[in-house]
Amino acid sequence: MLRQIFRFANKPFQVGLCGLLIGSLLTGTKTRAQSEQTLEDFLKTLNQKRGTYFLYDEKLLKTIRVTAPIPWKADTRTLLESALSGTGLTFRRVDDCYLIEPAARPLPRPQPTGQTPARRFTISGFVREKGSREQVNGATVYVDKTVATTNPYGYYSLTIAERDTVELVVSMVGYRRFYRRLPLPGSTSLDIELTSNTLLDEVVLTNTAGARAFSSSQTGQLTLPALQIRNTPALLGEKDVLKTLQFVAGIQPGLSGQVGLHVRGGGADQNLLLLDEAPVYNANHLFGFFSAFNADALQTVTLQKGGFSSRYGGRLSSVVDMTMREGNKQQWHGAVGTGIVASRLLLEGPLIREKASFLLAARRSNLSPVLGDFVASVIDDYTGTAWRANFYDINAKMNFDLNRRNKLYLSGYFGRNYFGGGDSLNRSQRWVNVLTWQNQTGNLRWNHLFSEKLFSNTALVFSRYNFETHRKNISTEGETSGQVTDLWRYFDGITDLTLKTDFDYFPSANHHLQFGLINTVRSYRLNGVQVVTLSALGNQSGLEKTESVETAAYAEDHWTLGKRIKLSAGGHITQYRIRQKAFLRAEPRVSAAVQIREKQAVRASFSDMNQFIHLLSNTGLGLPTDLWVPATDLIKPQRSRQVVLGFIHDFNPRWQLTVEGYRKWMRHVISYQEGADFIGITSAVRASEISWERNITAGNGQASGLETTLQSRSGRLTGSLNYTWSVTRWQFPELNNGNAFYPLHDRRHSVSVTGLYAFSPRLRLSAAWTFSSGNPFSVPVSGVPSFGHLGLGKADLVITPTEQLFGTESPLVQVRTSFSNFRAEANHRLDLNLQADLGRRRFKHRVEVGAVNAYGRRNPFSYNLMINPAGQLSLRRVALFTFVPSLNYLISF
């Protein structure tokens, strides 16, 4: 019938009729939805429109429908009064939520009066995820104005004055808010289960939902749930926690496409990366284009970049504390997926139902030859060479609930990277170059609850990082075919073994004490070389071993002073010993928050930090050839002092504005001396003559900045706008003629806009746009063709790609007059990601389509000094990623 009508109608009539039909369908759908919607659907819609949170019992609302016309332009209270009219329900404000409840309710008993002081009771327990029973870290638990946050193991404790009943609320991003009115006859143990939320109001791309202006005294802190990491656009679809953090104000990324973090003017080595409390020293896959952390295995990520907790030490700029998931204690689940870069597997389930569970997450790279050619093109163009690059990582975890007071955890991480290739050297020989690096961590933890007010965690932590590269010349002719004629091998590594005990003590409603002891033995393997050659150089070998011991103690009190002041005060003290030399460092930490109005607060902090391990790098690329070395009597520990002043304002439960300014002073920052590099201190030819300590120079640095973040935390459209102004200056007596200069990671302006729009709970579009002004380079002002290899008479030898990778060979001997004498062009790009969830029952499917640098901006990665056809020196911009599409598929069951 419709076809016949359209066949004889003219085009204007067709368009008009289509519009009329579509409008009628939409209007009819909307009218029916409004007249037939349940009260719960109405509250969801109101949440999406206004960003208002609601607490209610689902069973209470299921049979109630909203039939009266809804005046959507009215204020929230008027809307609720209209919707609840005649339902026997009423509402009232509980903190920043509206509680829906029966109209008749028991009134709380009045507080005791007179001279007899009121008794105080404690409510404590664990917060877990309903269904999986995984413990929830960072959930906010509050009764009236008394607030507590669950520790990394999901434990909370609140001490409040005696009363008849209390109203307890728990909020955490990704979960429905929990509410319960419960009698308080005395101290109570209450374990809480949070339900995972599929509502649009909890699909966020910002900080923890419900984190209010006066909820904490700490500055520069951020909690990222795994949900945010999975929703952020990523290079080739590989979700990456470190790249997600690059969108945060105050964090400068490494060079284009890299996962390195430069936090408030600090170097990439000044970030403490913890995976289930174990430090990870090289967090790079594929030379820093992807991080070593699998988002499938993570539960929460906590970043600290300002008011550092006293429990952390050993780095200057930031702490990234990643907690692995525990595994489902009730049901078996799994997921298998693949994409352009890697394939993944996830398995979890109960070992003993309700008592023990496990988690196994693994990734392995795809397309090894393609990835190898890509990395080789970044380093240089080696035509005809068959390069291969691959990586894998495995996360595993088991946990056991021995009883309510004792729990055991065993977790580990194993990751390995490979890059190698080879080609003909001459008619009788071929060369092979290989680089490998790997991380291993392990952690055995015991949680013990001494009482409802005292919680402890004791851990034995292991971490190891190894790097190796070798070059072989292999005979291809005659009887010696297949034999190695020349071998050059270099290797180094670090091994940590830590024993630590942490305590959480809740003496009263106004105090939360944290204290503990930490002892770390760190073993270094430096300048490991092995040379087998038929030349006059002969065979050589060597390895430098050294060991350091760090013993630390810390204490901190989170103190609430009245109704408007919160204070965190404490300190971290460390004794560092190496080669009969001892350093004693005390690190005071203090943070404060003052509530100036109901929705406004001012925060300030001071932190003193020390770092007893250094990373030697002269490329800024995060290559595995960056060398970790200890502080010694010649190379002193690094030290920083940072002051922060901030302002935070809640416009409403949905919108929040944060502004922070900081100033940081850094001492004993290290760098290579001019002319020194990795090969220069590790080559077998010179290993016996050159010590790495004598190729290092130390200096000081200063960093200042202003950070602004505006974020939307609920509704269909969530996201954040971040702006950072910053300046970083370094000064070394032996570099740049003693004059101050800007390091490679200095950028004056940075902007990031992230957003997530949920068309429905099953279809989401996320986008991220970033802009940063150019970073400084130290470019030569002149150059002449080189003769030989650094003047060592090596012109007659073949220069291998391994040496090219390490930066020891250049077509020009380059002369520069000063450091940071050139600033690159601005860097900006748009990343997009569309997620669609399919399937509802046993098998669920997720399809992701994305694009990095959607409009094809040629952002500078580096600049090469070239000689143009006219014989003049010129700079050539090298860009890595112009437009990179991605397609990922995941099936879960």
Side-chain angles (χ1 to χ4, degrees), residues 633-673:
D633 52 344
L634 297 179
I635 309 300
K636 295 181 180 180
Q638 299 181 63
R639 185 174 187 177
S640 76
R641 290 176 175 173
Q642 182 180 183
V643 293
V644 183
L645 178 64
F647 170 79
I648 185 167
H649 175 65
D650 290 326
F651 294 101
N652 52 45
R654 180 176 180 179
W655 290 93
Q656 185 179 82
L657 173 68
T658 304
V659 180
E660 286 190 355
Y662 67 88
R663 176 81 168 177
K664 180 159 62 174
W665 298 265
M666 294 168 282
R667 297 181 59 192
H668 308 305
V669 180
I670 70 168
S671 177
Y672 283 113
Q673 294 181 7

Short mmCIF file of all heavy atoms in Angstrom, two decimals, residues 633-673:
data_model
loop_
_atom_site.label_atom_id
_atom_site.label_comp_id
_atom_site.label_asym_id
_atom_site.label_seq_id
_atom_site.Cartn_x
_atom_site.Cartn_y
_atom_site.Cartn_z
N ASP A 633 77.82 6.91 46.33
CA ASP A 633 78.51 8.02 46.99
C ASP A 633 78.91 9.10 45.99
O ASP A 633 79.09 10.27 46.36
CB ASP A 633 79.74 7.50 47.73
CG ASP A 633 80.63 6.65 46.84
OD1 ASP A 633 80.18 6.22 45.76
OD2 ASP A 633 81.79 6.41 47.22
N LEU A 634 79.03 8.73 44.68
CA LEU A 634 79.34 9.72 43.65
C LEU A 634 78.08 10.32 43.04
O LEU A 634 78.06 11.50 42.67
CB LEU A 634 80.18 9.07 42.54
CG LEU A 634 81.55 8.55 42.94
CD1 LEU A 634 82.25 7.91 41.74
CD2 LEU A 634 82.41 9.68 43.52
N ILE A 635 77.02 9.53 42.91
CA ILE A 635 75.76 9.96 42.32
C ILE A 635 74.71 9.98 43.43
O ILE A 635 74.20 8.94 43.83
CB ILE A 635 75.32 9.03 41.18
CG1 ILE A 635 76.46 8.83 40.19
CG2 ILE A 635 74.08 9.58 40.50
CD1 ILE A 635 76.94 10.12 39.54
N LYS A 636 74.40 11.15 43.95
CA LYS A 636 73.52 11.25 45.11
C LYS A 636 72.07 10.95 44.76
O LYS A 636 71.66 11.06 43.60
CB LYS A 636 73.63 12.66 45.71
CG LYS A 636 74.99 13.00 46.28
CD LYS A 636 75.00 14.40 46.87
CE LYS A 636 76.38 14.74 47.45
NZ LYS A 636 76.41 16.10 48.04
N PRO A 637 71.26 10.58 45.74
CA PRO A 637 69.83 10.36 45.49
C PRO A 637 69.16 11.65 45.03
O PRO A 637 69.52 12.75 45.43
CB PRO A 637 69.30 9.93 46.87
CG PRO A 637 70.48 9.44 47.62
CD PRO A 637 71.64 10.25 47.13
N GLN A 638 68.16 11.48 44.15
CA GLN A 638 67.37 12.63 43.71
C GLN A 638 66.42 13.06 44.83
O GLN A 638 66.01 12.25 45.66
CB GLN A 638 66.55 12.27 42.48
CG GLN A 638 67.37 11.86 41.28
CD GLN A 638 66.49 11.52 40.09
OE1 GLN A 638 65.79 12.38 39.57
NE2 GLN A 638 66.52 10.27 39.66
N ARG A 639 66.05 14.34 44.81
CA ARG A 639 65.15 14.84 45.84
C ARG A 639 64.24 15.92 45.24
O ARG A 639 64.66 16.67 44.36
CB ARG A 639 65.94 15.44 47.00
CG ARG A 639 65.07 15.88 48.18
CD ARG A 639 65.91 16.33 49.35
NE ARG A 639 65.08 16.59 50.52
CZ ARG A 639 65.56 16.95 51.71
NH1 ARG A 639 66.86 17.07 51.89
NH2 ARG A 639 64.74 17.17 52.72
N SER A 640 63.00 15.95 45.69
CA SER A 640 62.08 16.99 45.23
C SER A 640 61.25 17.48 46.40
O SER A 640 60.98 16.75 47.37
CB SER A 640 61.15 16.47 44.13
OG SER A 640 60.13 15.65 44.66
N ARG A 641 60.85 18.75 46.30
CA ARG A 641 59.89 19.35 47.22
C ARG A 641 58.82 20.02 46.38
O ARG A 641 59.13 20.77 45.45
CB ARG A 641 60.57 20.34 48.16
CG ARG A 641 61.48 19.68 49.17
CD ARG A 641 62.21 20.69 50.03
NE ARG A 641 62.99 20.02 51.07
CZ ARG A 641 63.82 20.65 51.89
NH1 ARG A 641 63.98 21.95 51.77
NH2 ARG A 641 64.49 19.98 52.81
N GLN A 642 57.57 19.77 46.75
CA GLN A 642 56.47 20.28 45.94
C GLN A 642 55.40 20.91 46.83
O GLN A 642 55.02 20.32 47.85
CB GLN A 642 55.83 19.15 45.11
CG GLN A 642 54.70 19.62 44.22
CD GLN A 642 54.10 18.49 43.40
OE1 GLN A 642 53.21 18.71 42.59
NE2 GLN A 642 54.56 17.27 43.60
N VAL A 643 54.94 22.07 46.46
CA VAL A 643 53.82 22.71 47.14
C VAL A 643 52.69 22.85 46.13
O VAL A 643 52.91 23.14 44.95
CB VAL A 643 54.20 24.08 47.73
CG1 VAL A 643 55.20 23.93 48.85
CG2 VAL A 643 54.75 25.01 46.65
N VAL A 644 51.45 22.65 46.61
CA VAL A 644 50.27 22.68 45.75
C VAL A 644 49.19 23.48 46.45
O VAL A 644 48.98 23.33 47.67
CB VAL A 644 49.75 21.26 45.44
CG1 VAL A 644 48.56 21.32 44.49
CG2 VAL A 644 50.85 20.39 44.85
N LEU A 645 48.50 24.30 45.71
CA LEU A 645 47.32 25.03 46.21
C LEU A 645 46.21 24.84 45.19
O LEU A 645 46.41 25.09 43.99
CB LEU A 645 47.63 26.51 46.40
CG LEU A 645 46.46 27.38 46.88
CD1 LEU A 645 46.02 26.94 48.27
CD2 LEU A 645 46.86 28.85 46.87
N GLY A 646 45.04 24.40 45.67
CA GLY A 646 43.96 24.10 44.75
C GLY A 646 42.61 24.57 45.24
O GLY A 646 42.41 24.85 46.43
N PHE A 647 41.67 24.66 44.30
CA PHE A 647 40.29 25.05 44.57
C PHE A 647 39.38 24.08 43.84
O PHE A 647 39.65 23.71 42.69
CB PHE A 647 40.04 26.48 44.09
CG PHE A 647 38.59 26.88 44.11
CD1 PHE A 647 37.96 27.25 45.29
CD2 PHE A 647 37.84 26.89 42.93
CE1 PHE A 647 36.63 27.61 45.31
CE2 PHE A 647 36.51 27.26 42.94
CZ PHE A 647 35.89 27.62 44.13
N ILE A 648 38.33 23.63 44.51
CA ILE A 648 37.39 22.69 43.91
C ILE A 648 35.97 23.15 44.19
O ILE A 648 35.65 23.61 45.29
CB ILE A 648 37.63 21.25 44.42
CG1 ILE A 648 36.74 20.26 43.70
CG2 ILE A 648 37.46 21.15 45.93
CD1 ILE A 648 37.15 18.81 43.94
N HIS A 649 35.13 23.09 43.15
CA HIS A 649 33.76 23.58 43.27
C HIS A 649 32.80 22.59 42.61
O HIS A 649 33.00 22.21 41.45
CB HIS A 649 33.63 24.95 42.59
CG HIS A 649 32.22 25.47 42.55
ND1 HIS A 649 31.53 25.81 43.70
CD2 HIS A 649 31.37 25.71 41.52
CE1 HIS A 649 30.32 26.23 43.36
NE2 HIS A 649 30.20 26.18 42.04
N ASP A 650 31.79 22.16 43.35
CA ASP A 650 30.73 21.32 42.81
C ASP A 650 29.58 22.24 42.37
O ASP A 650 28.90 22.83 43.23
CB ASP A 650 30.22 20.33 43.87
CG ASP A 650 31.23 19.26 44.17
OD1 ASP A 650 31.95 18.86 43.25
OD2 ASP A 650 31.30 18.81 45.33
N PHE A 651 29.36 22.35 41.06
CA PHE A 651 28.22 23.13 40.60
C PHE A 651 26.91 22.43 40.96
O PHE A 651 25.93 23.04 41.35
CB PHE A 651 28.30 23.34 39.09
CG PHE A 651 29.46 24.19 38.69
CD1 PHE A 651 30.63 23.63 38.19
CD2 PHE A 651 29.41 25.57 38.82
CE1 PHE A 651 31.70 24.41 37.80
CE2 PHE A 651 30.48 26.36 38.44
CZ PHE A 651 31.62 25.79 37.93
N ASN A 652 26.91 21.11 40.80
CA ASN A 652 25.79 20.24 41.15
C ASN A 652 26.35 18.82 41.19
O ASN A 652 27.55 18.63 40.99
CB ASN A 652 24.63 20.38 40.14
CG ASN A 652 25.10 20.20 38.70
OD1 ASN A 652 25.84 19.27 38.40
ND2 ASN A 652 24.67 21.09 37.81
N PRO A 653 25.52 17.81 41.47
CA PRO A 653 26.08 16.46 41.51
C PRO A 653 26.73 16.02 40.21
O PRO A 653 27.50 15.06 40.20
CB PRO A 653 24.85 15.59 41.83
CG PRO A 653 23.93 16.50 42.55
CD PRO A 653 24.11 17.84 41.91
N ARG A 654 26.47 16.72 39.11
CA ARG A 654 27.00 16.30 37.82
C ARG A 654 28.30 17.01 37.45
O ARG A 654 29.23 16.40 36.95
CB ARG A 654 25.95 16.53 36.73
CG ARG A 654 26.41 16.11 35.34
CD ARG A 654 25.29 16.28 34.33
NE ARG A 654 25.73 15.87 33.00
CZ ARG A 654 24.97 15.90 31.91
NH1 ARG A 654 23.71 16.32 32.02
NH2 ARG A 654 25.45 15.53 30.75
N TRP A 655 28.39 18.31 37.68
CA TRP A 655 29.52 19.11 37.20
C TRP A 655 30.43 19.50 38.35
O TRP A 655 29.98 19.89 39.41
CB TRP A 655 29.02 20.37 36.50
CG TRP A 655 28.34 20.09 35.20
CD1 TRP A 655 27.00 19.89 34.99
CD2 TRP A 655 28.97 19.95 33.93
NE1 TRP A 655 26.76 19.65 33.67
CE2 TRP A 655 27.96 19.68 32.99
CE3 TRP A 655 30.30 20.04 33.49
CZ2 TRP A 655 28.22 19.50 31.63
CZ3 TRP A 655 30.56 19.86 32.15
CH2 TRP A 655 29.54 19.59 31.23
N GLN A 656 31.74 19.41 38.09
CA GLN A 656 32.73 19.77 39.10
C GLN A 656 33.91 20.48 38.42
O GLN A 656 34.37 20.08 37.35
CB GLN A 656 33.24 18.53 39.84
CG GLN A 656 34.18 18.82 40.99
CD GLN A 656 34.63 17.54 41.69
OE1 GLN A 656 35.53 16.87 41.25
NE2 GLN A 656 33.97 17.23 42.79
N LEU A 657 34.41 21.52 39.08
CA LEU A 657 35.56 22.27 38.59
C LEU A 657 36.70 22.16 39.59
O LEU A 657 36.50 22.35 40.80
CB LEU A 657 35.18 23.75 38.40
CG LEU A 657 36.34 24.71 38.06
CD1 LEU A 657 36.87 24.43 36.67
CD2 LEU A 657 35.88 26.16 38.18
N THR A 658 37.89 21.86 39.09
CA THR A 658 39.08 21.76 39.94
C THR A 658 40.19 22.61 39.33
O THR A 658 40.46 22.53 38.13
CB THR A 658 39.57 20.31 40.06
OG1 THR A 658 38.51 19.48 40.54
CG2 THR A 658 40.75 20.21 41.01
N VAL A 659 40.83 23.43 40.16
CA VAL A 659 41.97 24.25 39.73
C VAL A 659 43.09 24.02 40.74
O VAL A 659 42.89 24.13 41.95
CB VAL A 659 41.61 25.74 39.68
CG1 VAL A 659 42.81 26.56 39.24
CG2 VAL A 659 40.42 25.98 38.74
N GLU A 660 44.29 23.68 40.24
CA GLU A 660 45.45 23.49 41.11
C GLU A 660 46.68 24.14 40.51
O GLU A 660 46.93 24.03 39.30
CB GLU A 660 45.74 21.99 41.33
CG GLU A 660 44.75 21.31 42.26
CD GLU A 660 45.20 19.91 42.65
OE1 GLU A 660 46.23 19.43 42.12
OE2 GLU A 660 44.51 19.31 43.49
N GLY A 661 47.42 24.82 41.36
CA GLY A 661 48.71 25.35 40.96
C GLY A 661 49.81 24.70 41.78
O GLY A 661 49.61 24.36 42.95
N TYR A 662 50.98 24.50 41.18
CA TYR A 662 52.06 23.81 41.88
C TYR A 662 53.40 24.46 41.57
O TYR A 662 53.58 25.15 40.58
CB TYR A 662 52.09 22.33 41.48
CG TYR A 662 52.50 22.10 40.04
CD1 TYR A 662 53.83 21.97 39.66
CD2 TYR A 662 51.52 22.01 39.04
CE1 TYR A 662 54.20 21.77 38.34
CE2 TYR A 662 51.87 21.81 37.72
CZ TYR A 662 53.20 21.68 37.37
OH TYR A 662 53.57 21.50 36.06
N ARG A 663 54.32 24.21 42.47
CA ARG A 663 55.72 24.59 42.29
C ARG A 663 56.57 23.45 42.82
O ARG A 663 56.34 22.95 43.94
CB ARG A 663 56.02 25.87 43.06
CG ARG A 663 57.46 26.32 43.03
CD ARG A 663 57.81 27.05 41.77
NE ARG A 663 59.11 27.73 41.86
CZ ARG A 663 59.66 28.40 40.87
NH1 ARG A 663 59.02 28.51 39.72
NH2 ARG A 663 60.83 28.99 41.01
N LYS A 664 57.52 23.00 42.02
CA LYS A 664 58.35 21.85 42.41
C LYS A 664 59.82 22.17 42.18
O LYS A 664 60.20 22.70 41.14
CB LYS A 664 57.93 20.61 41.60
CG LYS A 664 58.73 19.36 41.95
CD LYS A 664 58.02 18.08 41.56
CE LYS A 664 57.76 17.94 40.11
NZ LYS A 664 57.20 16.62 39.77
N TRP A 665 60.63 21.80 43.19
CA TRP A 665 62.08 21.95 43.11
C TRP A 665 62.70 20.55 43.11
O TRP A 665 62.40 19.72 43.97
CB TRP A 665 62.61 22.74 44.30
CG TRP A 665 62.08 24.13 44.40
CD1 TRP A 665 62.68 25.27 43.92
CD2 TRP A 665 60.86 24.56 45.03
NE1 TRP A 665 61.91 26.36 44.21
CE2 TRP A 665 60.79 25.97 44.89
CE3 TRP A 665 59.83 23.89 45.69
CZ2 TRP A 665 59.72 26.70 45.37
CZ3 TRP A 665 58.77 24.63 46.17
CH2 TRP A 665 58.72 26.02 46.02
N MET A 666 63.58 20.28 42.15
CA MET A 666 64.23 18.97 42.02
C MET A 666 65.75 19.14 42.13
O MET A 666 66.32 20.04 41.50
CB MET A 666 63.86 18.32 40.69
CG MET A 666 62.39 17.96 40.56
SD MET A 666 61.90 17.50 38.88
CE MET A 666 61.78 19.13 38.11
N ARG A 667 66.39 18.25 42.88
CA ARG A 667 67.84 18.29 43.05
C ARG A 667 68.44 16.94 42.67
O ARG A 667 67.82 15.89 42.82
CB ARG A 667 68.20 18.63 44.50
CG ARG A 667 67.72 20.01 44.97
CD ARG A 667 68.14 20.27 46.41
NE ARG A 667 69.59 20.19 46.56
CZ ARG A 667 70.21 20.14 47.75
NH1 ARG A 667 69.50 20.15 48.87
NH2 ARG A 667 71.52 20.08 47.80
N HIS A 668 69.70 17.01 42.17
CA HIS A 668 70.47 15.81 41.82
C HIS A 668 69.80 14.99 40.71
O HIS A 668 69.90 13.76 40.69
CB HIS A 668 70.72 14.93 43.05
CG HIS A 668 71.30 15.66 44.21
ND1 HIS A 668 72.45 16.39 44.13
CD2 HIS A 668 70.87 15.79 45.50
CE1 HIS A 668 72.73 16.94 45.30
NE2 HIS A 668 71.77 16.60 46.14
N VAL A 669 69.11 15.68 39.78
CA VAL A 669 68.64 15.02 38.57
C VAL A 669 69.85 14.69 37.72
O VAL A 669 70.79 15.50 37.61
CB VAL A 669 67.67 15.94 37.81
CG1 VAL A 669 67.16 15.26 36.53
CG2 VAL A 669 66.50 16.32 38.70
N ILE A 670 69.87 13.53 37.08
CA ILE A 670 71.08 13.11 36.37
C ILE A 670 70.86 13.05 34.87
O ILE A 670 69.74 12.96 34.38
CB ILE A 670 71.60 11.75 36.89
CG1 ILE A 670 70.65 10.62 36.47
CG2 ILE A 670 71.80 11.76 38.38
CD1 ILE A 670 71.24 9.24 36.69
N SER A 671 71.98 13.08 34.14
CA SER A 671 71.96 12.95 32.69
C SER A 671 73.34 12.48 32.25
O SER A 671 74.31 12.56 33.01
CB SER A 671 71.62 14.30 32.04
OG SER A 671 71.69 14.20 30.63
N TYR A 672 73.43 11.99 31.01
CA TYR A 672 74.74 11.71 30.45
C TYR A 672 75.52 13.01 30.25
O TYR A 672 74.93 14.06 29.99
CB TYR A 672 74.61 11.04 29.08
CG TYR A 672 74.23 9.58 29.11
CD1 TYR A 672 73.00 9.16 28.63
CD2 TYR A 672 75.11 8.62 29.60
CE1 TYR A 672 72.66 7.82 28.63
CE2 TYR A 672 74.78 7.29 29.61
CZ TYR A 672 73.55 6.88 29.12
OH TYR A 672 73.22 5.56 29.13
N GLN A 673 76.82 12.93 30.37
CA GLN A 673 77.66 14.04 29.97
C GLN A 673 77.62 14.18 28.45
O GLN A 673 77.24 13.24 27.73
CB GLN A 673 79.10 13.82 30.43
CG GLN A 673 79.28 13.83 31.94
CD GLN A 673 80.73 13.63 32.34
OE1 GLN A 673 81.63 13.61 31.50
NE2 GLN A 673 80.97 13.48 33.63
#
